[in-house]
């Protein structure tokens, strides 16, 4: 570990000090290489968790987990649809 890298938990390195967090990616470059990272878009638009996960999985599927990420996105959409349908029924 370099003196510029901070450690919060034993054995776990985090982004170097003085570097924007989004310039450092844990475990690959599938987000960092994008002109606009999914998290930037999600935060800038105040997108809730479930919708944010759909964006994340659809954005990365070609560079990370392939069709498995598309299935995760579909699952998140199913979760969202079910939740919204239940909320609408409850609202009457």
């Amino acid at each position: 570990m370099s003196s510029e890298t901070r450690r919060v938990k034993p054995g776990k390195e985090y982004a170097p000090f003085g570097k924007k967090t989004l310039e450092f990616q844990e475990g690959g470059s599938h987000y960092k290489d994008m002109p606009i990272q999914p998290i930037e878009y999600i935060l800038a638009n105040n997108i809730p968790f479930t919708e944010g996960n759909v964006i994340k999985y659809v954005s990365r599927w070609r560079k990370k987990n392939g069709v498995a990420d598309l299935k995760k996105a579909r699952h998140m959409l199913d979760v969202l649809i079910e939740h919204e349908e239940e909320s609408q029924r409850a609202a009457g």
Side-chain angles (χ1 to χ4, degrees), residues 83-92:
H83 174 75
E84 289 303 313
E85 288 175 343
E86 288 175 4
S87 294
Q88 288 173 8
R89 277 193 297 275

Side-chain angles (χ1 to χ4, degrees), residues 8-83:
V8 178
K9 296 179 183 176
K12 182 72 175 172
E13 291 185 3
Y14 291 86
F17 285 114
K19 212 174 174 196
K20 290 178 96 178
T21 304
L22 294 177
E23 293 174 2
F24 177 84
Q25 182 180 328
E26 185 72 38
S29 62
H30 49 277
Y31 296 128
K32 194 175 62 121
D33 292 342
M34 295 177 179
I36 299 170
Q37 292 186 41
I39 191 67
E40 292 175 281
Y41 177 80
I42 291 163
L43 292 174
N45 290 284
N46 296 313
I47 296 173
F49 179 80
T50 307
E51 292 95 321
N53 272 320
V54 172
I55 292 166
K56 173 184 77 172
Y57 292 130
V58 170
S59 297
R60 77 180 196 190
W61 78 275
R62 285 183 182 93
K63 290 190 173 187
K64 190 166 184 206
N65 296 322
V67 173
D69 274 342
L70 294 177
K71 290 178 180 180
K72 290 175 186 179
R74 181 175 59 196
H75 175 73
M76 288 289 105
L77 283 171
D78 290 340
V79 167
L80 179 60
I81 290 167
E82 182 177 291
H83 174 75

